[in-house]
Amino acid sequence: AVTITGHIYCDNYFEFYFNGQQIFTDPLDFTPHNAVKVSFEYDETSGSKVYAILCQDYASDSGYEYTSTNSPQLGDGALLAEFSDGTTTTSAWKSYVVTFGPTDASISSGCSASNLSPCAIQDNGVPSNWYATDFDDSSWASATEYTASQAGWGRRPSYSNGMCGTITSPITKQTASPSSIATSQDACLDPRSVLCGGDETCSGTDGRFIWGADMDRDNKMLFRFTSSDSSDSASSTSSASSVADDTSVSTSTAGLSTSSASNSSTLCFCKSYLLSAVLLLAGIGYHA
């Protein structure tokens, strides 16, 4: 088995699965905005790698957060992940919207930050075994990529004496009580430091922030990515076979050349012998 490590950052909460097995659950469901280091085993004989992540931006039944303040707002979700096998979040990942809101219909009915009562969200449900290796995600949409400036990095986490904070309320926006939670240090990392090379730009081969098509109103998302090492192995095997075939052809050609050279040498020897015989006979006849 091969050990794969990685870092995952989801605004606000995530659950991570690999090849159908749950690997990690984010200990924080709102703030601070923490990245988590994960480590798991990959059985190379299984062939494919299936990454599956549930990522949820906090939203009340209205679709808004900070609903007990004078300025409720729509949050914006984002997922960013990078793994040691080279897998990173990009638009190549498949995405599925579980909850969306406020809906267009509720907005048409007067839903707004100052009038939450008409607001409603749409719940499409979570497909059964969506994280399984044999789940069919062909009907899912491609994830949408966002820049670091569009997604944002959120509130920095702080870690002290085995505690991660500072936790705030998604309802009141105030510091929560308790304001921190017991976690490992690997579960309370600053995403700015451990992702995208630490420069916050997310360019080149770095991972990309991904979400649904509507960053503000897509609230709970499912993401999947499947890579197949078996196809790479098959390609390598095919290339090796091709090289072997080429070598065989070259060897065969070389054999043919050697054979031709041998035949040519024999022919020359025969011609020389016949010429000598003719001259000898001519010599004998001349002296008789």
Side-chain angles (χ1 to χ4, degrees):
V2 174
T3 299
I4 299 175
T5 59
H7 291 95
I8 303 173
Y9 165 53
C10 170
D11 179 0
N12 295 111
Y13 164 85
F14 76 87
E15 296 172 7
F16 171 52
Y17 301 80
F18 179 77
N19 279 359
Q21 301 298 313
Q22 185 166 10
I23 303 300
F24 199 88
T25 299
D26 193 344
L28 297 164
D29 60 6
F30 189 55
T31 60
H33 293 86
N34 61 311
V36 171
K37 181 179 180 180
V38 295
S39 178
F40 50 95
E41 300 299 309
Y42 165 57
D43 179 2
E44 293 176 288
T45 62
S46 64
S48 63
K49 300 175 186 175
V50 179
Y51 290 83
I53 303 177
L54 177 153
C55 188
Q56 179 174 340
D57 178 46
Y58 178 83
S60 65
D61 291 341
S62 65
Y64 282 82
E65 58 189 19
Y66 304 140
T67 53
S68 291
T69 69
N70 293 326
S71 54
Q73 65 184 47
L74 296 175
D76 52 350
L79 170 65
L80 173 62
E82 297 174 341
F83 300 94
S84 61
D85 66 345
T87 300
T88 61
T89 46
T90 68
S91 58
W93 286 52
K94 304 303 288 289
S95 66
Y96 175 85
V97 180
V98 178
T99 59
F100 171 87
T103 62
D104 292 339
S106 66
I107 292 174
S108 297
S109 297
C111 166
S112 68
S114 59
N115 184 25
L116 299 179
S117 57
C119 298
I121 62 173
Q122 176 179 321
D123 191 338
N124 299 315
V126 176
S128 178
N129 295 320
W130 67 274
Y131 47 80
T133 55
D134 59 354
F135 180 82
D136 183 6
D137 59 15
S138 59
S139 64
W140 288 19
S142 296
T144 300
E145 292 185 12
Y146 296 91
T147 64
S149 59
Q150 287 174 314
W153 296 97
R155 294 172 179 261
R156 291 180 186 271
S158 61
Y159 189 77
S160 178
N161 298 320
M163 305 293 285
C164 184
T166 301
I167 301 173
T168 60
S169 166
I171 305 300
T172 65
K173 208 173 183 177
Q174 300 299 311
T175 298
S177 180
S179 61
S180 59
I181 186 174
T183 70
S184 66
Q185 189 164 6
D186 282 345
C188 188
L189 302 172
D190 185 349
R192 300 167 182 78
S193 300
V194 298
L195 288 158
C196 293
D199 61 9
E200 303 182 34
T201 60
C202 300
S203 59
T205 59
D206 295 337
R208 298 294 190 270
F209 283 97
I210 60 172
W211 201 244
D214 192 321
M215 181 177 272
D216 293 332
R217 294 195 291 164
D218 290 336
N219 298 318
K220 182 188 289 187
M221 299 287 303
L222 304 179
F223 297 96
R224 285 174 55 93
F225 178 75
T226 302
S227 66
S228 177
D229 279 2
S230 58
S231 62
D232 294 337
S233 298
S235 176
S236 297
T237 302
S238 175
S239 297
S241 176
S242 177
V243 170
D245 290 344
D246 290 344
T247 303
S248 177
V249 170
S250 298
T251 303
S252 177
T253 302
L256 180 60
S257 299
T258 302
S259 176
S260 298
S262 177
N263 291 339
S264 178
S265 177
T266 302
L267 182 60
C268 289
F269 172 78
C270 291
K271 286 181 178 179
S272 177
Y273 176 80
L274 288 172
L275 180 59
S276 297
V278 170
L279 292 173
L280 180 61
L281 288 172
I284 293 172
Y286 177 77
H287 292 288

